[in-house]
């Protein structure tokens, strides 16, 4: 049996960030991954999907150039194979980068399927390569952890019992990435961030898109004004957005899908499309991990719940959990996983580390228009007993917003009377790049007057953020 200070199971964002930070702190680290380091985010999620959404943005730009700016540009066709090749090259280069970082840090990467054999021991089956590990029987390695084990096995798309994905007519977000061609029409089931992004992408690529969400608004975890502005933007682009709607059933003729949907008015609507994309959330992956061998179990939703959130440590001392295995308030976001990995690595190394402040973690939807938020929504703030001041500023209130011509808004929620900023919510072009300022504002408990002292560059979209805070501080030039 080989020994290490830390054994990390799962090489996604949470796992490899834990491994890299622990190694940097002088710990001997073994990282077990049964597929490719980088996990869902790098290979089936964040990176490939955002590469595709960038391509979609370029397609939209051609239409804007022609229709708004008099640039007589035309789009002949989208070469799907070329798009995929560029996307895959970006993924491959990032993958090589992660592998190089791990090697340089001295992390021993074991490729195989891990299962717990105790609170401090792991067996890896199907080992096909081992970096600096003393193996036992062929294809099997046993490890003992001196300081602890970190569970970082991630999640997979949730499916519906009566609607089995076939990779062609009924697909998950994973399948959609690797489809052989673009569909001419698609029904997207689920109006969360993933569903909205795929609806936006397919619409940019010319597909007829119907977005079906059971809640009364899309991105239902965001502020209600975010949902309203995003819905307006998607509808303006031609996406058919159905909220308060539920899938009754779906038939699968040879050439596509025939979905029956119950609308918010109680009517039954039949929607025919080439593809039905199921985007109804994700579920934790723990199968084969044998949690019981370490004295662990999951909750009814499949999450591994920490006993101590300040250390992300389970009820079994020395066993920690990061990433998509965590229940709320963890957000199931790659950047939250990075923060969790740093916290756990520092905890295992005996280095003081602050707990993850989930309220200060930004949330972004990379659709067109984009959304970006941090902190509490207006409804959440009021529900928690805060007396709040709210200011909403259209992006078109500033010159750069008019240049972009896509609408959007900045919404600030703060304690009444000039108190602490509780939340900032953005909708519009490039707001994913604008949220960092607001993350600092919320994370550092700033007040509107603190922000109003700082001058924003002109002309920029971020001026709208500055103007929103100037108004709350009683100094606004463009009062709304």
């Amino acid at each position: 049996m080989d020994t290490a200070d830390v054994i990390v199971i799962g090489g996604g964002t949470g796992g490899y960030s834990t491994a890299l930070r622990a190694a940097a702190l002088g710990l001997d680290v073994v990282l077990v991954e049964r597929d490719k380091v980088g996990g869902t985010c790098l290979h089936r999620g964040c990176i490939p999907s955002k590469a595709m959404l960038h391509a979609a943005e370029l397609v939209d730009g051609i239409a804007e150039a022609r229709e708004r700016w008099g640039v007589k540009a035309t789009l002949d066709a989208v070469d799907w194979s070329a798009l995929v090749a560029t996307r895959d090259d970006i993924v491959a280069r990032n993958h090589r980068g992660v592998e190089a970082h791990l090697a340089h840090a001295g992390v021993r990467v074991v490729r195989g399927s891990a299962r717990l054999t105790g609170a401090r021991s792991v067996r890896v089956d199907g080992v096909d390569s081992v970096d600096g590990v003393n193996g036992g029987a062929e294809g099997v390695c046993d490890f003992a952890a001196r300081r602890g084990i970190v569970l970082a096995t991630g999640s997979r798309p949730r499916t519906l019992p009566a609607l089995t994905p076939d990779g062609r007519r009924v697909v998950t977000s994973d399948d959609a990435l690797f489809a052989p061609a673009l569909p001419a029409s698609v029904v997207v089931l689920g109006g969360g961030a993933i569903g909205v992004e795929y609806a936006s992408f397919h619409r940019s690529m010319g597909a007829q898109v119907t977005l079906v969400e059971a809640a009364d608004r899309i991105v239902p975890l965001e502020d209600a004004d975010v949902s309203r502005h995003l819905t307006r933007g998607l509808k303006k682009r031609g996406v058919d957005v159905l909220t308060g709607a539920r899938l009754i059933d779906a038939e699968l003729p040879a050439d596509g899908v025939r979905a029956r949907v119950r609308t918010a008015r109680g009517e039954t609507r039949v929607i025919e499309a080439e593809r039905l994309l199921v985007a109804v959330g994700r579920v934790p992956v723990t199968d084969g991990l044998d949690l019981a061998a370490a004295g662990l179990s999951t909750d009814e939703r499949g999450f591994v719940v920490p006993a101590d959130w300040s250390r992300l440590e389970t009820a079994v001392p020395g066993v920690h959990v990061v990433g998509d295995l965590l229940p709320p308030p963890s957000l199931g976001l790659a950047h939250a996983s990075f923060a969790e990995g740093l916290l756990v690595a520092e905890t295992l190394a005996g280095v003081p580390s602050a707990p993850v402040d989930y309220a200060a973690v930004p949330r972004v939807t990379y659709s067109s228009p984009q959304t970006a938020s941090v902190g509490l929504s207006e409804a959440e703030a009021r529900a928690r007993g805060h007396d709040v001041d709210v200011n909403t500023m259209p992006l078109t209130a500033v010159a750069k917003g008019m240049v972009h011509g896509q609408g959007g808004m900045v919404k600030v929620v703060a304690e009444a009377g000039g108190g602490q900023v509780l939340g900032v919510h953005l909708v519009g072009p490039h707001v994913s790049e604008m949220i960092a300022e607001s993350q600092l504002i919320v994370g550092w408990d700033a007040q509107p007057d603190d922000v109003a002292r700082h001058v924003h560059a002109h002309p920029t979209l971020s001026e709208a953020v500055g103007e929103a805070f100037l108004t709350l501080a009683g100094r606004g030039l463009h009062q709304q």
Side-chain angles (χ1 to χ4, degrees), residues 109-134:
V109 177
V110 180
R111 305 183 193 282
S113 297
R115 56 187 174 91
L116 299 169
T117 54
R120 293 293 178 92
S121 58
V122 173
R123 170 163 288 187
V124 184
D125 299 305
V127 177
D128 59 20
S129 68
V130 181
D131 299 335
V133 171
N134 298 317

Side-chain angles (χ1 to χ4, degrees), residues 44 156-160 163-179 189 194 198 202 275-282:
R44 297 176 298 280
R156 61 172 171 258
R158 183 187 302 276
T159 57
L160 299 175
L163 202 59
T164 303
D166 62 7
R168 184 170 62 88
R169 294 167 298 179
V170 178
V171 300
T172 67
S173 57
D174 284 4
D175 302 323
L177 280 173
F178 305 107
L189 188 61
I194 294 174
Y198 273 96
H202 284 95
R275 189 173 297 168
L276 174 64
L277 197 162
V278 180
V280 292
R282 300 184 65 86

Side-chain angles (χ1 to χ4, degrees), residues 437 450-458 460 462-463 466 470 475:
E437 173 188 19
D450 297 323
V451 185
R453 300 173 194 168
H454 297 280
V455 179
H456 289 73
H458 173 78
T460 62
S462 65
E463 277 186 285
L470 279 166
R475 301 173 61 199

Side-chain angles (χ1 to χ4, degrees), residues 88-112:
D88 291 350
D89 178 63
I90 292 167
V91 170
R93 284 189 284 135
N94 275 273
H95 179 223
R96 290 193 296 270
V98 174
E99 289 188 315
H101 284 310
L102 290 166
H104 184 263
V107 174
R108 296 186 285 165
V109 177
V110 180
R111 305 183 193 282

